[in-house]
Amino acid sequence: MDLLRCETHLGIFIAGIFMLCTFCHSEKAPAYTFVKEASSAPPEVHYDYIIVGGGTAGCPLAATLSQNARVLVLERGGSPYGNPDIENMGNFAKSLSDISPKSPSQPFISEDGVYNTRARVLGGGSALNAGFYTHASMGYVREFGWDEALVNKSYEWVERKIVFKPRMLQWTSALKAGLIEVGVLPDNGVTLDHTYGSKFGGVIFDKDGHRHTAADLLEYADPTKITVYLHSTVHKILFSTKGKTRAIGVIFEDDLGNKHTAYLDKNPKSEIILSAGALGSPQLLMLSGVGPAEHLKYHGIKVVKDQPMVGQGMADNPMNCLFVPSPVPVEVALVQVVGITRFDSYIESVSGINFATSWIQKLLSSYDQLLDQNRRQGDIVQDVISRFIQRTNAFLNSTITGGAIAEKIMGPVSRGHLELKTTNPHDNPSVTFNYFKEPEDLKRCVQGMKTIIKVLNSKAFSKFRYRLLPVQALINLMVGLPLNLRPRHVMAAFSLEQFCKDTVMTIWHYHGGCQVGKVVDQDYRVLGVDALRVLDGSTFIRSPGANPQATLMMLGRYLGEKILQ
């Protein structure tokens, strides 16, 4: 287990490097009087709405419902405010590589051997991500039968608080010009719309590089009608089974280990809404007895509702990338540009990455305690890191700055599943994404990587390329890095198909597990259970657009308005 944690830390560190930039200035946090520690909660509370998870969708949902109802939000993590690892862009990798028990990100490794992490903080993934903000396509909106006028108003409601224009820096401008040069057309300029071509999108970082998360949307809330409890882990949903099955409350635990119960008020419109994320919501349904009956019985859980589709349809948009050292200094920026190709692969980039080997040495020092605890496993861990250094030092020793260009698969088509490992709500469930199981996804990855290679060889991007450093050397570098726990094949350096499979990483857009039409209806009500809904990425059949956070925040506002109406 220690070795696994070490490799998890290493993998997330490397993934974090993909988005790293310099320190920025932060602003004063909102003074929320209604945000409290769960340890201050009474043993029993009653509310009109109980929202489990104060994340990307949960915060706007809670703020909206509080306009006309009493709302309780139970967030298992802490506050993003006052945490420089969250607020400042320069600490992006640091927040992802923190694997302490109360860190804002909880790492996990999928059964496919890919490092990943799930948010554990108020604001959810918007407190950890690379900040890109872009709408879902109108085709996506129409496919799911959403009210287009309300969708647009809901997006605007979000954007008034937390969305900013990107800085058009040299690297990102060169990438966009390179995409246009190689045929990712048309040039869409700066837009939040999702259309084919190349564009600058919005960002949730202001001009000072300060992150604005979904938690900022709680400024819209009525402070007299909302309570947010931090470090409150929900153990199970409580049901009444007299007549039709109905959710009536939840049991949650504070960080001191004390249990509390939150009940719905005796109002026929009162509801519990799960917004605990693509892993958390299906996991909590299962822990509460809603899920595949045989699986629940295996774990000794009383079956409340046999729902075999809970945990099914899990997907993660695979990411593959190339690190690109630059012969000239580049500005630092997270994702600002996207190329939306007609073969449904999205091309994105970051710049200002420092590959100095001193960072690697700093990484080594973080394992001192681990090595002392278990010398035999420590030798293995040391070997993993040493091999990493040996493979990269020769290539990166003289490299100071650069960037990375990545491609992400739309959809994807490949699907997996989620199961319980234990009945402890603090533990991660087991999740399998089945990356590239479907040939269509692999084909898109290959086309995406070919597009990246064309951009690297374009005239527009030539300023940031070493003339004597071929693309093959960049491919060889990626194949040699311990990006995941998947086996490496010799052909990965020469076959883009094998390269995609061997070097796949997450872009943190996993979804599924409580999908619309299978676990919830079109209004996000859990099928066969009254007073219970799910609203988060677990309901998605596929990920919306180039980045899901805008759509998740919009949906929080959207569903809140629908419920109030």
Side-chain angles (χ1 to χ4, degrees), residues 491-510:
M491 284 303 297
F494 309 102
S495 162
L496 287 179
E497 286 85 356
Q498 197 64 53
F499 176 89
C500 287
K501 293 177 182 178
D502 286 8
T503 67
V504 64
M505 294 182 286
T506 182
I507 202 166
W508 302 286
H509 296 170
Y510 47 89

Side-chain angles (χ1 to χ4, degrees), residues 65-225:
L65 291 176
S66 74
Q67 299 303 312
N68 198 34
R70 295 180 65 252
V71 179
L72 174 65
V73 179
L74 299 173
E75 168 53 49
R76 71 192 185 109
S79 171
Y81 302 113
N83 184 338
D85 290 352
I86 292 173
E87 292 184 323
N88 299 326
M89 283 196 300
N91 291 343
F92 176 84
K94 191 176 178 181
S95 65
L96 288 176
S97 62
D98 181 1
I99 59 173
S100 61
K102 291 187 178 180
S103 71
S105 62
Q106 182 178 2
F108 69 94
I109 302 175
S110 74
E111 299 303 315
D112 317 272
V114 173
Y115 305 113
N116 212 315
T117 190
R118 54 192 291 217
R120 182 168 50 189
V121 61
L122 189 67
S126 68
L128 298 174
N129 65 21
F132 193 56
Y133 183 97
T134 180
H135 296 172
S137 69
M138 289 312 298
Y140 192 99
V141 170
R142 291 165 187 151
E143 179 182 349
F144 291 98
W146 297 336
D147 180 326
E148 292 183 33
L150 183 56
V151 164
N152 290 333
K153 288 180 181 178
S154 299
Y155 274 130
E156 291 168 4
W157 180 87
V158 171
E159 289 149 19
R160 286 197 295 270
K161 284 285 183 188
I162 67 169
V163 181
F164 304 87
K165 290 184 178 179
R167 295 184 299 156
M168 299 175 192
L169 305 175
Q170 291 185 52
W171 173 285
T172 49
S173 296
L175 170 69
K176 182 165 172 286
L179 287 166
I180 292 166
E181 182 180 328
V182 304
V184 185
L185 298 167
D187 179 354
N188 292 313
V190 181
T191 179
L192 300 180
D193 293 338
H194 183 90
T195 56
Y196 288 121
S198 300
K199 70 165 188 172
F200 278 95
V203 295
I204 60 172
F205 293 100
D206 62 27
K207 60 182 177 62
D208 296 319
H210 175 261
R211 182 191 295 271
H212 293 259
T213 77
D216 289 18
L217 299 174
L218 291 172
E219 292 180 23
Y220 283 120
D222 183 338
T224 67
K225 293 181 180 177

Side-chain angles (χ1 to χ4, degrees), residues 273-325:
I273 306 173
L274 303 188
S275 192
L279 268 65
S281 289
Q283 178 187 26
L284 185 55
L285 283 178
M286 290 184 189
L287 291 175
S288 306
V290 178
E294 291 304 313
H295 182 58
L296 300 186
K297 291 175 183 177
Y298 174 82
H299 285 279
I301 299 171
K302 181 182 176 182
V303 179
V304 174
K305 180 71 177 178
D306 180 13
Q307 177 36 291
M309 297 308 296
V310 173
Q312 298 300 306
M314 295 299 300
D316 185 22
N317 298 87
M319 177 181 77
N320 294 84
C321 74
L322 292 178
F323 292 115
V324 185

Side-chain angles (χ1 to χ4, degrees), residues 10 82 115 149 278 385 405 451 471 515 533 546:
L10 179 61
Y115 305 113
I385 301 171
I405 304 179
T451 303
V471 171
Q515 292 178 317
R533 301 195 204 217

